Structures are given as structure tokens and as C-alpha cells.
């Protein structure tokens, strides 16, 4: 063992000190030794447990009046819900209420579902099957989602660009100095898109929409989440939305158009990057796609902020009008710049229609001017698929429904189309072994929240009794995220009371900080990815730290034969375990819905649609 340690130290020295001087052969030998050492250490961390080894239920819990179901890998005849403290029986249940057969759980072809909705007494519990299999503990209480809402909302503070993350607000070791001097002149605000540091129009605008939508549907008044603006008399949710809106305002060009990014074009080795030590950021280009997204959100924001900060609301609307004038002057363009091309869709006429539809809907909501209703019709794109950062026509439709100046016939047509999509989500949820209604791609968790938030939640808010199945489907996506899944993993980091939760992430500055715990609370994972990226590979000889991706991590052995529901790794995998500002925001909307439901569905103040 001493010889291995000495060899490893020598390898580290060769890589860290002698990189510029050692021969190629010496560096290759050092790399092999380091790789072997890291693989051995990583292999020792592996925990061998059969897939679906526990009964699957939310590890966060349920409200007393909420539907409550769990999943078992084998048929059972009875089960008990026992108190976590003393093991006493709180509820006894019978045989499964249904079963679902599916190929996405591998060798476990059929999953059995039990129901304990009749348990309403507050407490902390576990479910125990008649074969001895048990769930992880969970709570039953009306405020069970308050903590997760706070954590997921505070994620935006940790991702803020061009500012320090300070100890007074971090509530833990996750801090870094300000990177304001790295920004282009006069650029401020915005959030780092994901585990990298860039700020992108496409994902940021999607996040802003969901934050504004959360306010419009739930009006959360909390001003005490310990962000720098807490206690200023404005709800912290709106303070966070304003941070994103401030970036939009700062990247508006004199022409009225908006830039598409403020971006980092290169990074140092993984584990060496913090926001304050990277090269200066590059300005993106002005284009019609970024401009249309900004117009829609700034116009929407002007209707939200009017009662809190009339001057800011007016500034948003002025900027939106200038942006719309830019769009009018560039009607034939669908332009998007090449700097940091991650979200680039230059020349895509379909996306051009979607974003112009979004801009027109926002302006109609803010101004009630008939010309914007006409432009909405000219650019109308049928709601054929779920909305996303590239396809905001679904978001545009929601704003249009809020506008008193919208055409009643168009509103009826939109509502009919949204009902079709809501029904499809219900059908997909019924077919899924854990009742998830989502899309199986990069960002499965967020895609599920976007889907049910765009369709099922809306019907539940309007008529909780008549749309009971929509309510239950939206809640089922929440429970899946919190542990009712194949891996019995809570896909959100740092939530109190969770037994097996997300503890790692692909994230540049956290990788460099190497704090304990590693993740700050509230990070929503991408989740199982039906087709993990081929380049998402492990780098066991990485320096100063190894990086463990989807492929090649001995602690999380995964390959193409892994069942789709198991294609998540709690490591540096960016195609299953990165964060993203757009799905973080749709998840926050979904959690606010769950909290609303848990507390007896209070009035929302939501306008007629």
C-alpha cells in the first residue's frame, strides 16, 4: 500500500509540477498511475444494491388530504404504514389497487401500486410490505412542501451572475467572490445557465416566464428567504425575477434589439474554475430571436411589477416597445448570433414564428392594443408539442389567455388544444410505472414539470374538483421527483429528512470549491436520460480532480443496457446530473402548486381565462 501511495504521489508531482518539463513517456506513465489510483478509490465507494430494492414513495411526503400511493417491485397482499419513531401501526392496507407493466424498469417488468390516501394523521412514517420490504421515511403534514419550495427558489441566488455569493446568505459553505469585473461594460444581473457560467437568452427567458407565471397563479408573498433583497417589502420571488429581468435590460442595444448571450467561451480544467477567475465574458449578438423573447417577458413583467415598483414596470414596458419596434424593422429575419452557440437557431423560421407569437402575446397583455392581437394571429403556431426554450408558443398561449383583449374564439381554440395535451399527459402518466408524465430526454425531471405545469396544473387551478385527475397527475410528478421512482432517489439536493437524495452535480464552481456538503440545497437534477450523451464519459486521470460521467464510473456502473429508469448517476454526469435555469424554474412552479394544494387550495386571484 505504501508503494502504491508513493507511486501516486510521484504521479501527482509529475502532472502538477513537471507537466512542462517531463517527457511525454513520463507524463503518460504518471497519468496511468493516477488513473488506476482514482479508479480503485472510486470502486471502493460503490454500494451494491439490487435495483428497486425499497418500496418507492416520496421521501419528502404528502399533505394529509393528498392522494398517496407507493410502488412495489413484487405483488403484495397487504401492507402497513408504521410510525417512524416507534414502529407502531398507523394504517393497514390491502392488495395493490393496480399494476403497470413496462420495459423501462428492466427485469422488473411489472410494478405494483398500493394506496394509503386514507392516512391523514400528521406524522413521520414508513411503508412496510407483507414481504418485509420497506420505504424510506416521509412526513405527512400540510406544510410539507414549504421547505422544498424555499430551497428550489434559493437556487437562483446561488446561480446569480456578476455578484458574490456571500456567507450571510449562503447558509453554508457555498460561497464565491464577485465576478462583476468579468462582465462586459454595463452588463449586470442574470443567472449562470447551468453548471457552466454563461448566460443565455433562450434558457433565461424561459426561467423568467415561469417565475412570472408562478406569481400570476400563486402570488407568494414571502419576503424572508434570506436573499440580499429579503425584507424590502417585495416578495422574494419577484426580487429573483427582477435579477433576470435586469440582465435583459442591460443587454438591450441602442437599436432596441437584445443580445442573445453573455458568455464564457472556454474553461480551465474541471475543478479549477470559479466565476471570479475565468476570462472576461464575451457579448453575444443582437438578433430577432433574443429580442422577441425579451419583449414578451418584459411586457409580462410590466403587468406584475406595477403594484410594487411602478417605475420599474414602466421601464420594462418601454424596453419592450423599443424591442418590438426592432422586430418590426427586421420582419424578414430570424437572426441569432454565433457567440457561444449552445442555443443558437439562426435562420429557423418556425422558431421565429414562436418567439414573435410570444412577443405579441406579452404586448397584448400589457397594452390591450389591437395590433398585437393581429400580430399574434399572423404568427400563430399550433400547439403541437410541449413548450420549451426553443418553442415558447405554449408560453405565449398562456399569456394570451390572461389578456382581456384576446379574441374569445382564439381563446376557446387554445383551451381546446391545451385540454388535448392535458389528456395525453394523463394517458402517459397512467402508462408509466411511477405515474410520471414527462419526455425521456436530457432534463426529464424539468420536462415533466413543464408538461404538467403547462397543462394539468392549469385545469386543476380552475376546477380542483372537476379536474381531480389533472391535480393528481401534477402531484404525481412531484412525488416522482422526491423519491417515488425506480432508484428511490430524491432528485433535489439538500432537503431535510431525505434518506437518499441528490448529493453531487456537474458544476464548475462547486467542483473547484469542493465544499462539504458538495451541493447547495435545492438543485434539481436532469434525471434519467433515455439516451445519455456519448461524450459524457469519466476522466479518472483528471487533474486536479477526476470527473465521473455517465459512462465509466465504477461507483455507478451504467451502460446502454441499463433500464431507462436507471439512467441517472449521482456524479459529474452532465447529461443526467447537471442543473439548468429553465427546468429549475418550471420545477419551482410545480412545487408552488403542490404547496397550494397541500394547504387546501386557497384562492389564487387567477383571472378568468
Amino acid at each position: 500500500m505504501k508503494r502504491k501511495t508513493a507511486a501516486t504521489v510521484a504521479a501527482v508531482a509529475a502532472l502538477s509540477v513537471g507537466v512542462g518539463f517531463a517527457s511525454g513517456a513520463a507524463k503518460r506513465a504518471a497519468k496511468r498511475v493516477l488513473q488506476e489510483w482514482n479508479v480503485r478509490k472510486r470502486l471502493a465507494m460503490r454500494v451494491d444494491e439490487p435495483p428497486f430494492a425499497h418500496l418507492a414513495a416520496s421521501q419528502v411526503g404528502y399533505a394529509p388530504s393528498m392522494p398517496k400511493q407507493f410502488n412495489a417491485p413484487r405483488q403484495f397482499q397487504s401492507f402497513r404504514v408504521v410510525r417512524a419513531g416507534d414502529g407502531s401501526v398507523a394504517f393497514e392496507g390491502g392488495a395493490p389497487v393496480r399494476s403497470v407493466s413496462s420495459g423501462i424498469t428492466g427485469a422488473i417488468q411489472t410494478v405494483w401500486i398500493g394506496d394509503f390516501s386514507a392516512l391523514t394523521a400528521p406524522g413521520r412514517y414508513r411503508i412496510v410490505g407483507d414481504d418485509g420490504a420497506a420505504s424510506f421515511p416521509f412526513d405527512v403534514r400540510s406544510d410539507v412542501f414549504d421547505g422544498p419550495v424555499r430551497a428550489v427558489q434559493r437556487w437562483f441566488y446561488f446561480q446569480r451572475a456578476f455578484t458574490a455569493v456571500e456567507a450571510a446568505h449562503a447558509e453554508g459553505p457555498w460561497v464565491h467572490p464577485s465576478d462583476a469585473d468579468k462582465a462586459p461594460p454595463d452588463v449586470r444581473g442574470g443567472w449562470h445557465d447551468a453548471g457552466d457560467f454563461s448566460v443565455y437568452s433562450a434558457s433565461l427567458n424561459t426561467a423568467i416566464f415561469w417565475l412570472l407565471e408562478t406569481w400570476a397563479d400563486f402570488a407568494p408573498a414571502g419576503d424572508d428567504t434570506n436573499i440580499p433583497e429579503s425584507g424590502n417589502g417585495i416578495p422574494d420571488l419577484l426580487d429573483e425575477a427582477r435579477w433576470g429581468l435586469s440582465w435583459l435590460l442591460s443587454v438591450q442595444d441602442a437599436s432596441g434589439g437584445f443580445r442573445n448571450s453573455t458568455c464564457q467561451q472556454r474553461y480551465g480544467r474541471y475543478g479549477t474554475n470559479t466565476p471570479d477567475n475565468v476570462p472576461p465574458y464575451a457579448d453575444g449578438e443582437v438578433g430577432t430571436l433574443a429580442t422577441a423573447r425579451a419583449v414578451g417577458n418584459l411586457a409580462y413583467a410590466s403587468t406584475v411589477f406595477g403594484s410594487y415598483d411602478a417605475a420599474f414596470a414602466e421601464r420594462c414596458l418601454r424596453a419592450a416597445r423599443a424591442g418590438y419596434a426592432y422586430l418590426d424593422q427586421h420582419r424578414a429575419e430570424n437572426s441569432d448570433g454565433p457567440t457561444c452557440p449552445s442555443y443558437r437557431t439562426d435562420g429557423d423560421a418556425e422558431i421565429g414564428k414562436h418567439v414573435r407569437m410570444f412577443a405579441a402575446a406579452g404586448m397584448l397583455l400589457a397594452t390591450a392594443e389591437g395590433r398585437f392581437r393581429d400580430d399574434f394571429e399572423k404568427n400563430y403556431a399550433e400547439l403541437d408539442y410541449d413548450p420549451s426554450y426553443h418553442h415558447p408558443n405554449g408560453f405565449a398561449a398562456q399569456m394570451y389567455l390572461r389578456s382581456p383583449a384576446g379574441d374569445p374564439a382564439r381563446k376557446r381554440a387554445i383551451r381546446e388544444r391545451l385540454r388535448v395535451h392535458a389528456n395525453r399527459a394523463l394517458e402517459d402518466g397512467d402508462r408509466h410505472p411511477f405515474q410520471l408524465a414527462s419526455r425521456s430526454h436530457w432534463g426529464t425531471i424539468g420536462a415533466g414539470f413543464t408538461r404538467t405545469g403547462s397543462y394539468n396544473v392549469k385545469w386543476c387551478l380552475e376546477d380542483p374538483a372537476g379536474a381531480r385527475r389533472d391535480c393528481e397527475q401534477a402531484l404525481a410528478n412531484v412525488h416522482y421527483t422526491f423519491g417515488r421512482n425506480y432508484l428511490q432517489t430524491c432528485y433535489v439536493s439538500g432537503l431535510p429528512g431525505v434518506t437518499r437524495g441528490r448529493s453531487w452535480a456537474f458544476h464548475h464552481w462547486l467542483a473547484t470549491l469542493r465544499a462539504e456538503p458538495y451541493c447547495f440545497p435545492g438543485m434539481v437534477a436532469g434525471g434519467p436520460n433515455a439516451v445519455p450523451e456519448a461524450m459524457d464519459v469519466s476522466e479518472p486521470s483528471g487533474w486536479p480532480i477526476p470527473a465521473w460521467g455517465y459512462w465509466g464510473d465504477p461507483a455507478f456502473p451504467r451502460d446502454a443496457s441499463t433500464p431507462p429508469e436507471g439512467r441517472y448517476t449521482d456524479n459529474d454526469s452532465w447529461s443526467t446530473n447537471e442543473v439548468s435555469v429553465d427546468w429549475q424554474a418550471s420545477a419551482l412552479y410545480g412545487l408552488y402548486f403542490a404547496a397550494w394544494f397541500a394547504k387546501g387550495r386557497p384562492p389564487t386571484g387567477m383571472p378568468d381565462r
Side-chain angles (χ1 to χ4, degrees):
M1 183 65 183
K2 289 182 179 178
R3 286 194 298 274
K4 291 184 184 294
T5 302
T8 304
V9 170
V12 169
L15 286 171
S16 61
V17 178
V19 167
F21 306 100
S23 68
K27 286 188 283 189
R28 288 192 293 273
K31 193 172 183 178
R32 284 195 300 272
V33 172
L34 185 61
Q35 177 171 314
E36 179 184 353
W37 174 259
N38 284 333
V39 168
R40 284 176 177 271
K41 287 201 303 181
R42 188 69 175 173
L43 186 59
M45 298 171 62
R46 177 172 170 175
V47 177
D48 287 312
E49 181 179 88
F52 203 173
H54 305 271
L55 301 180
S58 167
Q59 293 177 54
V60 169
Y62 308 83
S65 62
M66 191 171 281
K68 307 174 190 70
Q69 295 190 333
F70 70 93
N71 296 69
R74 294 173 295 278
Q75 189 169 11
F76 54 88
Q77 296 305 312
S78 65
F79 68 92
R80 294 169 292 131
V81 181
V82 302
R83 295 178 180 88
D86 59 12
S88 60
V89 176
F91 178 81
E92 292 184 283
V97 294
R98 65 189 183 99
S99 63
V100 177
S101 296
S102 168
I104 65 175
T105 48
I108 302 173
Q109 291 289 305
T110 301
V111 170
W112 306 88
I113 299 167
D115 191 288
F116 60 108
S117 300
L119 174 68
T120 60
R124 186 160 178 82
Y125 302 99
R126 289 184 301 115
I127 307 162
V128 181
D130 55 10
D131 63 353
S135 72
F136 292 129
F138 57 86
D139 289 329
V140 172
R141 61 177 202 271
S142 60
D143 63 348
V144 71
F145 298 109
D146 290 3
V149 164
R150 182 181 189 272
V152 171
Q153 183 170 308
R154 275 175 48 81
W155 176 95
F156 289 90
Y157 169 69
F158 288 105
Q159 292 288 121
R160 287 184 178 187
F162 314 128
T163 187
V165 173
E166 300 172 327
H169 305 292
E171 300 180 358
W174 313 283
V175 297
H176 67 70
S178 176
D179 54 340
D181 64 327
K182 304 294 183 179
D186 300 321
V187 171
R188 62 184 64 86
W191 306 287
H192 299 305
D193 171 68
D196 63 343
F197 299 153
S198 294
V199 184
Y200 297 103
S201 161
S203 56
L204 176 135
N205 273 291
T206 303
I208 289 174
F209 170 80
W210 279 115
L211 296 183
L212 297 175
E213 196 78 348
T214 299
W215 171 259
D217 282 348
F218 306 110
D223 189 23
D224 58 356
T225 63
N226 192 26
I227 61 175
E229 298 83 2
S230 292
N232 65 356
I234 297 175
D236 284 351
L237 176 76
L238 294 187
D239 284 322
E240 203 58 68
R242 184 168 181 159
W243 189 267
L245 292 162
S246 294
W247 180 80
L248 288 182
L249 293 168
S250 76
V251 297
Q252 186 170 28
D253 185 79
S255 66
F258 290 79
R259 297 187 181 278
N260 67 348
S261 66
T262 304
C263 108
Q264 276 294 312
Q265 297 178 293
R266 62 186 183 277
Y267 293 89
R269 296 184 304 277
Y270 190 60
T272 67
N273 303 288
T274 56
D276 59 299
N277 75 358
V278 293
Y281 284 72
D283 261 332
E285 288 76 28
V286 173
T288 60
L289 303 186
T291 298
R293 295 186 197 103
V295 167
N297 271 326
L298 287 165
Y300 192 178
S302 73
T303 71
V304 169
F305 280 88
S307 58
Y308 288 99
D309 188 335
F312 180 72
E314 180 57 30
R315 183 185 175 197
C316 287
L317 186 55
R318 284 198 309 271
R321 285 192 182 278
Y324 210 92
Y326 178 91
L327 294 175
D328 283 341
Q329 294 161 12
H330 298 80
R331 287 186 176 274
E333 288 184 20
N334 298 293
S335 50
D336 206 7
T339 302
C340 280
S342 292
Y343 292 90
R344 190 184 186 211
T345 52
D346 191 68
D348 192 314
E350 179 188 19
I351 293 176
K353 286 178 68 70
H354 286 209
V355 296
R356 286 177 183 270
M357 180 178 163
F358 183 73
M363 292 300 291
L364 181 65
L365 176 62
T367 70
E369 294 175 18
R371 69 187 184 105
F372 299 121
R373 182 175 55 246
D374 296 340
D375 283 353
F376 183 88
E377 290 298 328
K378 290 174 187 175
N379 292 288
Y380 187 81
E382 190 53 88
L383 310 179
D384 289 332
Y385 35 70
D386 297 351
S388 69
Y389 52 75
H390 280 332
H391 301 288
N393 60 327
F395 304 145
Q398 297 294 346
M399 284 196 290
Y400 192 89
L401 290 177
R402 294 187 186 280
S403 175
D407 177 66
R410 173 54 71 193
K411 287 186 176 184
R412 285 193 297 273
I414 288 173
R415 287 170 61 84
E416 289 169 3
R417 195 65 187 160
L418 295 179
R419 184 66 259 175
V420 168
H421 284 292
N423 288 342
R424 290 175 180 171
L426 296 178
E427 293 165 2
D428 286 352
D430 288 343
R431 286 193 291 262
H432 194 280
F434 302 96
Q435 205 180 342
L436 175 69
S438 185
R439 307 296 181 184
S440 296
H441 53 59
W442 192 348
T444 296
I445 302 298
F449 280 115
T450 294
R451 190 178 187 190
T452 55
S454 296
Y455 309 132
N456 307 97
V457 168
K458 301 301 186 181
W459 295 105
C460 182
L461 292 177
E462 289 192 12
D463 183 8
R468 177 184 58 83
R469 291 196 66 222
D470 291 290
C471 304
E472 292 176 0
Q473 182 55 66
L475 294 170
N477 277 27
V478 174
H479 301 324
Y480 176 94
T481 301
F482 287 155
R484 188 190 169 198
N485 54 60
Y486 179 76
L487 297 175
Q488 291 97 69
T489 293
C490 175
Y491 289 119
V492 181
S493 65
L495 300 184
V498 165
T499 304
R500 178 185 291 166
R502 180 191 192 180
S503 63
W504 211 262
F506 176 85
H507 197 280
H508 272 290
W509 70 262
L510 290 181
T512 304
L513 184 64
R514 298 201 272 284
E516 180 62 39
Y518 184 87
C519 289
F520 54 80
M523 301 174 74
V524 178
N529 185 347
V531 187
E533 299 292 312
M535 294 177 62
D536 188 6
V537 297
S538 297
E539 296 182 34
S541 61
W543 181 258
I545 61 170
W548 304 104
Y550 178 85
W551 308 97
D553 181 356
F556 291 94
R558 302 283 195 272
D559 57 29
S561 67
T562 301
E565 274 293 292
R567 293 179 186 173
Y568 167 82
T569 52
D570 196 43
N571 59 11
D572 302 291
S573 164
W574 38 269
S575 66
T576 71
N577 199 21
E578 195 171 6
V579 294
S580 178
V581 67
D582 63 324
W583 70 56
Q584 187 80 21
S586 65
L588 181 61
Y589 178 88
L591 295 185
Y592 266 111
F593 163 73
W596 171 86
F597 191 98
K599 293 175 180 176
R601 303 184 293 275
T604 63
M606 182 179 174
D608 290 340
R609 305 194 313 154

